[in-house]
Structures are given as C-alpha cells and as structure tokens.
Amino acid sequence: ADAASAVSCDLGAGNGLQGLLLQCLDPHARTVQVEISAEAVEIGRHLQAWLGVPAERVEWVVSDVMDFSVAGIDFLYLYRPVRPVGPGEAYYKRLAAELGASDREVVIFSIADVLGSFLPDRFEVFYSDGHLTCRRGPLPPSPPSR
C-alpha cells in the first residue's frame, strides 16, 4: 500500500513510541496501537501530542492482543506480545493464519521473533539480525513446475 492509504499496527504497543515515530518518519493513513494497559495508552497519547502526530492518524485500542484482528493491516510491529505456550501458541497460530489469508501484502517487523515459526512459507524474510526479523507476504503461490 502507498503511504497515503497504509495502516500500521503495533501489537502490545506499550506507550506506542515505535508507531508514533513511524508516523513522524513516514506519515501514513493510520497507526493502530493495541495495548492492554490504559495507563500506558494515556502516556502514549501525551507522547503523540508532544510529537505533533494528528489525532486522526492514531487509533488507540485498549485491549488484549489475543482478542484483536489484524485484518486490513499493511505493516505489523510486534515484540513478542505473548509467550508462545498454551493460549499463546493458539494465538500465534491464529495470527499467522489471519496474515496468511490476507489479500494484500503485509510487512512484519518482529522483535524476538516467535511468529515466524507459525507463518506459512509464502512469507519471505528480507532482513534478520538475530533480534529483529522482517518479513513480507503472503507472496503469490509459485506456479506449478513442469
């Protein structure tokens, strides 16, 4: 998506600084900040005002990430919002399936990447340094070989 229509999302946003800085560096249609702590969101709103990011560009969602759908997202940032065991494993499987079913390309920046092991093969890594892993997909299916 071009910047004018792009939607970014930070799952487990905390005070939302990463999403707010992305809005400053590359203004885009909307940033969705999902955070379970209302106190962290309030701090984030103060940061947003201080940075001068317009109110209509940021949607703050006070919610558990496990209840949030990423449908319509173009850029996803996550720093291991839940542990990948028990309910967390089911969460990553659901998130990966939702991303894999997207009808648009999604770019994923994952810190301490857990999601990657659940994503379908149609996501490619375009950067990894052992801490940050960046992917894009779902790529179109490969044509059948002859």
Side-chain angles (χ1 to χ4, degrees), residues 93-104:
K93 286 179 180 176
R94 180 191 59 79
L95 179 59
E98 189 174 5
L99 291 165
S102 179
D103 60 353
R104 61 209 284 165

Side-chain angles (χ1 to χ4, degrees), residues 66-133:
M66 293 179 65
D67 300 325
F68 186 78
S69 169
V70 294
I73 298 299
D74 300 290
F75 176 85
L76 179 62
Y77 175 87
L78 63 157
Y79 188 163
R80 198 178 141 182
V82 297
R83 291 179 30 181
V85 294
E89 181 178 5
Y91 165 74
Y92 286 110
K93 286 179 180 176
R94 180 191 59 79
L95 179 59
E98 189 174 5
L99 291 165
S102 179
D103 60 353
R104 61 209 284 165
E105 182 178 87
V106 180
V107 173
I108 304 167
F109 277 32
S110 184
I111 306 286
D113 186 46
V114 172
L115 179 62
S117 63
F118 297 98
L119 284 169
D121 292 342
R122 292 178 42 222
F123 282 81
E124 70 173 356
V125 173
F126 65 89
Y127 176 83
S128 183
D129 64 10
H131 183 64
L132 168 66
T133 302

Side-chain angles (χ1 to χ4, degrees), residues 21-80:
L21 291 176
L22 182 60
Q23 260 305 349
C24 289
L25 293 170
D26 186 24
H28 50 283
R30 190 165 55 103
T31 297
V32 181
Q33 309 270 37
V34 183
E35 173 54 44
I36 199 166
S37 166
E39 182 179 350
V41 166
E42 190 58 33
I43 293 167
R45 289 185 173 152
H46 289 291
L47 275 172
Q48 179 180 350
W50 182 75
L51 289 167
V53 177
E56 66 273 7
R57 297 274 172 117
V58 181
E59 177 184 351
W60 295 94
V61 179
V62 178
S63 177
D64 187 327
V65 297
M66 293 179 65
D67 300 325
F68 186 78
S69 169
V70 294
I73 298 299
D74 300 290
F75 176 85
L76 179 62
Y77 175 87
L78 63 157
Y79 188 163
R80 198 178 141 182

